[in-house]
Amino acid sequence: MSHPQVIRTPDQRLRIFVSSTLQELAAERRAARTAIERLHLAPVMFELGARPHPPRQLYRAYLEQSDVFLGLYWERYGWVAPDEDVSGLEDEYNLCPPELPRLLYVKSPATDREPKLATLLARIRDDDRAAYKYFETAKELAQLIENDLATLLAERFDQSRAVVTADVASDADRVVEPVRLPVPLTGLVGREDDVAAIVDRLAHGTRFVTLAGPGGIGKSRLAIAAARAAAQEFDDGAVFVDLSAVYDPQRVPNRIAQALGVRDTGDAPVLDNLVTALRDRRILLVLDNFEQVLDAAPLLTGLLAAAPGLAMLVTSRALLRVSAEQSYEVGPLAEDSSVSLFVERAHAVKPDFEITPENRDAVTRICAALDGAPLAIELAAARIRVLSPAELLDRLDRRLSVLVGGSRDLPERQQTIRRTIEWSTQLLTPEQRRLLSRLGVFEGGFTLEAAEFVGADGDSTDDDSADGDRPDGDTADGDRSDVLSDLAVLVDSSLVSQHDSDDRPRFTMQAIVREYAREQLASGGGLTAAQDAHARYFIDLGSRARLPLKAGGQREWMQRLGDERDNLRAAERYLLDSRDWDRAAQLAFNLFLYFWVIGLLGEVRTWMDEPLESGDALQDRTRAIALYFTRTIRFWKDPDGRVAADLSESADLFQQCADRTGEAMALISLALALMAGEKPDAERAAEVMERSLTLFRDTHDIWGESMALVLLGRVALLRQEVRTAFERFDESLALTQRSGDAVGGRIAAYHLGWAHLLLGSPQDARKDFALSVTLSTSLGHIEGIAYGLEGLAAVAALAGDVDRAGRLAGAAHALRERSGTHNGPTFTFHQRYLDRLAAVSPPGRLAAAVAEGRELGVEQAVAEALTEPSLN
């Protein structure tokens, strides 16, 4: 049997086999080719030839020599050759080797899809070996391909040392990128002219548009649709900033930073980091629900002045009244659109509902009575399952006229919407209304488990005598089943929305519904009890997360806690406002690793400043935690030794409380402070770290042990004992690989890379740095990615590869600027290697490569880092 000729690209790049029909997807094929080549990969495509599809033996040979299968599909099934049962398109998928990664992209909408293709796609969807995504435009497809291929590179990079568990499979496009526009659960009805008008303003240079109107009129949905339509005019796309959980105007910069992926590491004001991250970008920010932070409006004009490529689309119930603002009034839906929306939402609860001559007038009058307000129409339509349009109209007529539903000085349509919410709640049982009000304490959505805890806790704590009798997380099964059934009614009534997050159901409420629920809770005297139940749930969640965050559960818990970030903030804020310093400190300490990785230690520091500055007598452990958080992020700023003294006090207090893990963690920060001064104290740092290592080993804390080994290796490097440092780093990496600890693994691998480089083993160093990039990408640890890129830049510089060294260094620098990690201390030595390379390279060549690298996106930089360098 003859073997197919091996197909090679000139530089041995990875080959991406692209399968699609030709004519209908010509633009998409060009976009795919461009995306593949931007990542320095080789596309395998059949564009020309006498046949509509190449002979089977040819594409079989190409498939066998390819590294990734990439399928593009739309409406056509493709040509079926004589004596064949299937088209070449389906045959390519059938012949794809089982071990080949499969990335499949389906264009939508598809109103005329051929039946055979529909059958093929149904089979592909059921294939658990394939990643299956939808796209609409060629530009969107190109971005999806770049993201997914970069992730595959990170996942599949061949290294002798890489042991990456399934829990930390790479996911660069999930965490390291900004918060892109959300995908609404339902379509936009009747706003086509509004979208066009807003897009036109942005296209003609307007940089600040405020969509104004009452809550529930559809501002958010309209802003998302307009931003999606306008995003192609912005090189960096559109980013969504949800302000619904922000009540303090001073926290607005933090929320914008969070959406952009800019870390609050505490080493510089977050606003300064924002300016640095935005100043060279062409980007559209969508700031949703600004009415509750109107005092932050001048911040927006300041950002616009500092970043000429920035534009903003703001939704607010009130105008911001600052310079550069252009207002766009969001009005009610027209009659036809109101009726269409009513029918669409009615179909969700009664699929066979249609407009008939008999019910048309009633439906039209319902929409008119609701002033064409989309939320009010949705709430009314949800009742069509049990009420006919005529019955619904009669009830609305009788109830809306007598319900107040909020302040009488609200705009007319706002009163209508709030009265409709009130009317909807009147149709609920008392238990369902109680649950709705208690759900008002959640910020940013909630899980079923959280709703069951807070909701069922409400049944047991409405009587103060029952408060505290039930341990955290222990709720009666009967109570839980009641909450589940009542929550289902709230979803059916459109008062709560449901969507899935990683197979975990998640629920949200529109801002005005949550506002109403919270008002009812406060007026009934149950707000404090509900907030306390909410805090207890998230304290318990943090306690459950503490250990898996240090081992194989990191990826799952990072994402789960990321979904709960607003709730964690709300719980912490409640505890601090209640001067409940002990529980506030405990919640923060349990989640130290999470807050560190996502870059929120600056915010945690401000939390822990409060108990220290309160004047209250603090428990020893609470003071130890507060000192730890407030001093750890300042370890390199210690001219008079006060930071080291406070960290030493923290360690002593932990020791007095018999908290050996806390003491060991404080000692790590103390050692860093001792090594960071103008006159590093290596001897005392070594003593401190030996004590820390012993404590971690005594408590069987493998994560802590691996961190202590890294710090001992750094002490050895300070003493110029490179071989000892290598041994410490190598032992640390082995520990992290056994436990599945990606955070510790990326740190150990990075340090090991420098040890290898200093010992004269650049190829081993390259593998270590690449592993660090891979693990950092899996966690979305921006700073870790930057470190790894810098290490690989040093390796490339040592090899004389000017272009690669410059691109990687430029990408790392841009990543630090855009993520807010450029001000603090760094443990990197790549610049000395670049300086040596620049001295022997053609003038300006390295600088040009650095400038090119600054333009790379995160996924592109990761792909470049993890691709084998060319052999010169």
Side-chain angles (χ1 to χ4, degrees):
M1 177 179 177
S2 62
H3 294 281
Q5 182 178 359
V6 175
I7 303 154
R8 297 188 183 275
T9 60
D11 58 358
Q12 302 298 302
R13 292 180 295 170
L14 293 179
R15 292 167 292 270
I16 314 300
F17 185 97
V18 180
S19 173
S20 76
T21 53
L22 298 183
Q23 288 79 11
E24 71 162 349
L25 290 170
E28 286 75 12
R29 288 172 66 83
R30 288 194 296 272
R33 175 185 289 278
T34 299
I36 293 167
E37 290 176 342
R38 278 171 63 94
L39 293 173
H40 307 289
L41 310 178
V44 178
M45 310 177 77
F46 300 99
E47 300 289 2
L48 302 174
R51 298 168 180 262
H53 200 276
R56 190 180 199 195
Q57 63 270 25
L58 179 59
Y59 60 76
R60 182 197 291 271
Y62 274 82
L63 273 166
E64 290 178 353
Q65 297 300 320
S66 293
D67 300 285
V68 178
F69 179 91
L70 194 155
L72 306 178
Y73 309 98
W74 190 14
E75 294 186 330
R76 304 282 80 83
Y77 174 70
W79 179 66
V80 180
D83 302 323
E84 296 288 349
D85 296 326
V86 298
S87 70
L89 188 74
E90 180 166 1
D91 204 27
E92 286 176 346
Y93 186 81
N94 293 340
L95 292 172
C96 177
E99 70 278 4
L100 220 60
R102 305 178 185 203
L103 303 177
L104 309 176
Y105 305 93
V106 182
K107 186 173 181 178
S108 64
T111 57
D112 192 27
R113 181 167 290 153
E114 294 178 351
K116 285 189 175 181
L117 179 58
T119 301
L120 171 62
L121 293 180
R123 177 163 66 92
I124 290 174
R125 278 194 297 269
D126 294 334
D127 187 344
D128 58 9
R129 298 170 297 177
Y132 189 96
K133 295 183 179 180
Y134 290 93
F135 70 95
E136 295 182 6
T137 66
K139 183 174 181 179
E140 180 185 3
L141 171 67
Q143 187 62 59
L144 286 172
I145 290 174
E146 284 192 42
N147 291 352
D148 293 342
L149 286 175
T151 299
L152 272 178
L153 284 171
E155 288 175 338
R156 294 173 178 271
F157 185 76
D158 183 18
Q159 306 177 58
S160 60
R161 307 191 70 98
V163 182
V164 185
T165 67
D167 282 329
V168 293
S170 266
D171 203 1
D173 59 333
R174 174 180 60 83
V175 183
V176 301
E177 281 295 281
V179 178
R180 295 303 178 188
L181 298 173
V183 179
L185 300 177
T186 53
L188 186 68
V189 176
R191 296 294 193 188
E192 294 81 6
D193 291 344
D194 294 303
V195 170
I198 296 165
V199 171
D200 183 68
R201 290 196 188 188
L202 293 170
H204 285 84
T206 301
R207 297 176 58 205
F208 189 170
V209 180
T210 298
L211 307 188
I217 201 67
K219 301 183 299 297
S220 300
R221 186 72 60 83
L222 175 58
I224 292 169
R228 195 177 300 282
Q232 61 186 355
E233 302 300 325
F234 295 86
D235 295 340
D236 293 290
V239 172
F240 187 76
V241 184
D242 182 6
L243 296 170
S244 62
V246 182
Y247 306 97
D248 181 356
Q250 294 184 358
R251 306 309 299 176
V252 171
N254 301 74
R255 182 50 58 94
I256 298 175
Q258 175 184 319
L260 286 166
V262 176
R263 270 44 179 171
D264 179 12
T265 54
D267 46 41
V270 70
L271 187 57
D272 292 352
N273 287 340
L274 265 182
V275 169
T276 301
L278 288 170
R279 63 189 176 194
D280 296 326
R281 301 169 83 169
R282 277 188 44 78
I283 193 168
L284 174 63
L285 291 187
V286 180
L287 297 113
D288 195 32
N289 294 296
F290 206 86
E291 62 276 348
Q292 55 200 28
V293 287
L294 288 174
D295 287 345
L299 157 74
L300 304 189
T301 57
L303 287 177
L304 288 169
L310 171 65
M312 295 181 181
L313 198 54
V314 180
T315 74
S316 177
R317 298 181 201 173
L319 292 177
L320 279 60
R321 302 195 183 283
V322 291
S323 61
E325 179 186 34
Q326 285 195 18
S327 65
Y328 188 92
E329 188 71 26
V330 181
L333 292 174
E335 180 180 299
D336 289 348
S337 297
S338 295
V339 172
S340 297
L341 177 63
F342 184 95
V343 173
E344 180 185 294
R345 300 301 188 264
H347 282 162
V349 296
K350 188 176 176 61
D352 60 347
F353 177 80
E354 297 296 344
I355 294 292
T356 66
E358 292 77 20
N359 67 23
R360 178 179 296 277
D361 181 64
V363 172
T364 301
R365 289 172 59 191
I366 289 170
C367 295
L370 299 174
D371 288 339
L375 176 59
I377 292 171
E378 292 185 24
L379 292 172
R383 294 297 176 181
I384 207 67
R385 180 164 59 183
V386 293
L387 298 172
S388 70
E391 292 171 323
L392 187 55
L393 176 63
D394 179 61
R395 292 194 177 213
L396 282 171
D397 279 343
R398 285 188 287 110
R399 295 298 296 164
L400 290 186
S401 60
V402 299
L403 291 172
V404 176
S407 174
R408 294 180 184 272
D409 60 2
L410 290 172
E412 181 179 349
R413 289 195 181 90
Q414 182 106 344
Q415 290 190 44
T416 298
I417 293 167
R418 291 179 67 87
R419 288 173 179 174
T420 308
I421 296 171
E422 174 74 8
W423 168 79
S424 296
T425 64
Q426 294 296 317
L427 302 175
L428 303 173
T429 67
E431 292 75 16
Q432 292 158 1
R433 288 198 298 273
R434 184 183 305 114
L435 175 62
L436 178 67
S437 68
R438 291 185 69 83
L439 296 179
V441 299
F442 287 104
E443 303 280 6
F446 51 90
T447 62
L448 175 60
E449 178 187 76
E452 287 175 332
F453 183 88
V454 173
D457 185 270
D459 292 336
S460 64
T461 60
D462 283 344
D463 180 356
D464 290 342
S465 63
D467 198 22
D469 289 344
R470 183 172 289 164
D472 289 356
D474 182 14
T475 307
D477 291 339
D479 292 342
R480 288 184 181 274
S481 62
D482 291 343
V483 170
L484 178 59
S485 59
D486 289 342
L487 182 58
V489 172
L490 298 181
V491 172
D492 288 345
S493 302
S494 292
L495 291 162
V496 172
S497 298
Q498 177 184 349
H499 59 93
D500 292 334
S501 176
D502 281 2
D503 300 324
R504 185 182 295 273
R506 192 161 184 85
F507 303 87
T508 57
M509 288 190 287
Q510 288 204 33
I512 193 170
V513 176
R514 189 172 59 82
E515 179 182 285
Y516 171 85
R518 201 177 182 95
E519 287 174 0
Q520 298 304 302
L521 188 61
S523 64
L527 180 59
T528 298
Q531 287 177 312
D532 194 75
H534 175 274
R536 283 189 283 117
Y537 174 80
F538 285 102
I539 290 170
D540 178 67
L541 187 71
S543 179
R544 285 185 277 152
R546 185 173 59 86
L547 292 180
L549 277 173
K550 293 182 174 182
Q554 281 172 348
R555 183 179 183 275
E556 173 192 349
W557 277 95
M558 287 288 178
Q559 184 155 348
R560 183 171 178 182
L561 294 169
D563 289 340
E564 303 294 359
R565 192 178 301 183
D566 288 333
N567 280 313
L568 293 170
R569 282 189 172 111
E572 188 71 32
R573 187 70 263 155
Y574 164 75
L575 295 170
L576 292 171
D577 289 345
S578 304
R579 304 178 81 86
D580 191 341
W581 309 126
D582 297 340
R583 290 198 296 169
Q586 185 60 46
L587 175 58
F589 198 57
N590 280 338
L591 297 178
F592 161 76
L593 190 59
Y594 167 71
F595 290 132
W596 172 43
V597 170
I598 66 169
L600 277 184
L601 286 183
E603 188 169 342
V604 179
R605 185 201 73 194
T606 65
W607 294 342
M608 293 297 99
D609 276 334
E610 294 188 37
L612 290 176
E613 297 170 359
S614 67
D616 294 349
L618 301 179
Q619 296 287 337
D620 284 351
R621 188 167 184 275
T622 298
R623 179 171 174 79
I625 293 171
L627 284 172
Y628 173 74
F629 275 117
T630 56
R631 304 308 190 258
T632 290
I633 62 175
R634 301 172 182 169
F635 71 83
W636 72 98
K637 297 179 179 179
D638 193 19
D640 57 4
R642 291 182 60 87
V643 170
D646 286 345
L647 287 169
S648 182
E649 181 189 350
S650 175
D652 290 343
L653 289 170
F654 276 123
Q655 183 181 39
Q656 293 170 25
C657 300
D659 185 339
R660 291 181 290 177
T661 297
E663 180 187 355
M665 290 178 64
L667 290 173
I668 285 180
S669 295
L670 174 58
L672 286 170
L674 292 170
M675 290 189 291
E678 292 184 5
K679 296 180 180 180
D681 189 344
E683 294 304 318
R684 188 179 173 207
E687 294 174 6
V688 165
M689 285 315 306
E690 289 292 351
R691 165 72 178 165
S692 177
L693 179 63
T694 299
L695 288 168
F696 280 128
R697 284 176 171 169
D698 287 348
T699 55
H700 307 289
D701 189 327
I702 295 176
W703 180 86
E705 182 181 354
S706 69
M707 291 298 97
L709 287 167
V710 167
L711 263 293
L712 282 167
R714 299 237 322 228
V715 172
L717 285 182
L718 191 60
R719 292 169 160 174
Q720 299 185 336
E721 300 169 355
V722 180
R723 174 56 61 180
T724 299
F726 168 84
E727 292 170 354
R728 295 291 198 179
F729 299 148
D730 191 53
E731 185 181 357
S732 176
L733 181 59
L735 282 175
T736 66
Q737 291 179 331
R738 286 202 297 271
S739 66
D741 168 19
V743 173
R746 85 92 187 150
I747 295 170
Y750 172 76
H751 284 80
L752 190 62
W754 282 117
H756 266 130
L757 207 59
L758 293 171
L759 289 171
S761 302
Q763 285 305 310
D764 287 329
R766 186 186 63 78
K767 293 177 181 179
D768 293 327
F769 290 137
L771 174 57
S772 182
V773 169
T774 301
L775 294 173
S776 298
T777 304
S778 76
L779 293 164
H781 194 183
I782 295 279
E783 189 174 17
I785 295 173
Y787 270 125
L789 295 177
E790 289 161 351
L792 287 166
V795 174
L798 194 62
D801 191 337
V802 181
D803 295 334
R804 179 177 172 85
R807 283 196 302 269
L808 291 174
H813 187 68
L815 186 55
R816 286 190 181 277
E817 285 189 342
R818 292 191 173 194
S819 64
T821 57
H822 60 292
N823 290 310
T826 56
F827 183 80
T828 183
F829 316 103
H830 69 292
Q831 191 58 49
R832 68 181 65 168
Y833 291 88
L834 294 175
D835 291 343
R836 293 171 192 164
L837 181 63
V840 298
S841 301
R845 183 174 174 185
L846 180 61
V850 169
E852 183 181 342
R854 288 182 59 85
E855 299 301 316
L856 295 178
V858 176
E859 293 89 354
Q860 295 167 320
V862 169
E864 171 122 358
L866 300 184
T867 302
E868 291 274 358
S870 302
L871 298 177
N872 295 328

